[in-house]
């Protein structure tokens, strides 16, 4: 078992995490007894070569994928014991997500995309918090545009606003700059870093890019499903 703790209170904690795909001779052990804490108010980057298990770790920590064995805690909530519906509600209210492909609905405006998860959860957004996020991200003049009318960097900033609006306990970012040029990448990463420092946000980011990882407070490295 490999264990990696954090000096601060853990927002997410995984213990003895094992994830096996397939059965018998064709099975693949993507995670092999991983234990790691992701500190509250910290920006953590998960790095590793292709096939190291970094995306699998994030997906299991976020309840997006089932685990073969082990424990995943969001605060004091054990995710591995929850059903699909409960997990869906929990993700809407307590987690935020930023993906490489933005995952914006093409028929909705930027403003509609930002508030959609909260509307689905039956919650109202705080107008002052909404205005602050939009202002910090510099997308106030793009709110009426659809994704097709936005650059890649602008779309990812909309995705960041959508993730931050519910004030989640943790934001999971999966290769958030993978489709962006260096300038747009620096803008998005700088904002994620700022959200940790100024807003106390917790961020767990998967990346293969050492430059992107350099924005994080801490780097967790995986090799062959284990912490290196």
């Amino acid at each position: 078992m490999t264990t990696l703790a954090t000096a601060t209170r853990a927002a997410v904690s995984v213990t003895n995490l094992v994830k096996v795909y397939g059965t018998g001779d064709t099975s693949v052990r993507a995670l092999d007894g991983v234990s790691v804490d992701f500190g509250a108010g910290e920006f953590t980057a998960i790095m590793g070569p292709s096939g190291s298990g970094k995306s699998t770790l994030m997906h299991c920590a976020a309840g997006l994928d089932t685990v073969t064995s082990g424990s995943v805690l969001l605060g004091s909530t054990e995710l591995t014991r929850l059903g699909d519906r409960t997990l869906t509600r929990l993700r809407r209210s307590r987690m935020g997500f930023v993906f490489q492909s933005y995952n914006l609905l093409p028929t909705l405006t930027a403003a509609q995309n930002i508030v959609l998860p909260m509307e689905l959860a039956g919650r109202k957004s705080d107008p002052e918090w909404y205005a602050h996020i939009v202002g910090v991200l510099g997308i106030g003049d793009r709110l009426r545009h659809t994704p097709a009318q936005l650059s890649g960097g602008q779309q990812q900033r909309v995705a960041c606003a959508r993730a931050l609006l519910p004030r989640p306990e943790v934001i999971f970012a999966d290769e958030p700059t993978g489709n962006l040029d260096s300038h747009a990448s620096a803008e998005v990463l700088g904002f994620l870093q700022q959200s940790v420092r100024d807003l106390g946000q917790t961020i767990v980011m998967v990346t293969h890019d050492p430059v992107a990882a350099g924005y994080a407070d801490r780097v967790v490295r995986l090799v062959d499903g284990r912490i290196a």
Side-chain angles (χ1 to χ4, degrees):
M1 181 185 72
T2 50
T3 304
L4 193 59
T6 178
T8 62
R9 176 181 64 83
V12 179
S13 181
V14 305
T15 306
N16 297 337
L17 201 63
V18 173
K19 176 63 179 181
V20 178
Y21 293 102
T23 58
D25 294 339
T26 60
S27 66
V28 175
R29 202 173 183 88
L31 295 175
D32 190 11
V34 172
S35 294
V36 59
D37 293 339
F38 298 107
E42 284 188 350
F43 188 172
T44 304
I46 304 174
M47 293 193 72
S50 178
S52 63
K54 57 185 183 295
S55 290
T56 302
L57 175 58
M58 193 204 81
H59 291 161
C60 289
L64 293 170
D65 199 355
T66 58
V67 306
T68 303
S69 64
S71 168
V72 179
L73 288 173
L74 173 65
S76 60
T77 304
E78 174 58 68
L79 301 190
T80 61
R81 299 175 184 171
L82 303 180
D84 289 342
R85 289 188 177 182
T86 304
L87 268 175
T88 297
R89 289 194 294 268
L90 181 144
R91 283 193 293 264
R92 285 176 182 168
S93 61
R94 298 175 62 184
M95 300 180 190
F97 295 91
V98 181
F99 296 101
Q100 178 176 344
S101 56
Y102 320 132
N103 286 17
L104 303 179
L105 293 183
T107 58
L108 300 184
T109 65
Q112 291 168 331
N113 269 289
I114 291 170
V115 301
L116 180 61
M118 293 197 69
E119 289 183 344
L120 290 174
R123 299 169 58 195
K124 291 186 177 180
S125 58
D126 179 346
E128 291 186 7
W129 179 240
Y130 175 90
H132 176 70
I133 293 172
V134 166
V136 170
L137 282 164
I139 53 176
D141 60 345
R142 295 290 186 267
L143 294 177
R144 296 185 179 181
H145 291 65
T146 62
Q149 297 171 309
L150 303 173
S151 69
Q154 290 168 342
Q155 290 185 64
Q156 197 60 297
R157 279 184 277 167
V158 170
C160 288
R162 178 183 60 190
L164 278 164
L165 188 61
R167 299 179 189 263
E169 294 174 37
V170 58
I171 289 176
F172 292 99
D174 193 359
E175 299 281 4
T177 59
N179 288 337
L180 304 180
D181 60 32
S182 58
H183 178 72
S185 293
E187 287 185 340
V188 169
L189 290 166
F191 175 73
L192 292 176
Q193 186 182 62
Q194 181 183 357
S195 72
V196 172
R197 292 179 177 175
D198 297 348
L199 307 176
Q201 183 63 60
T202 303
I203 294 177
V204 178
M205 175 182 71
V206 168
T207 183
H208 69 280
D209 181 6
V211 174
Y215 284 79
D217 302 313
R218 175 170 170 254
V219 177
V220 174
R221 298 182 185 276
L222 288 186
V223 176
D224 296 331
R226 299 181 178 182
I227 293 176

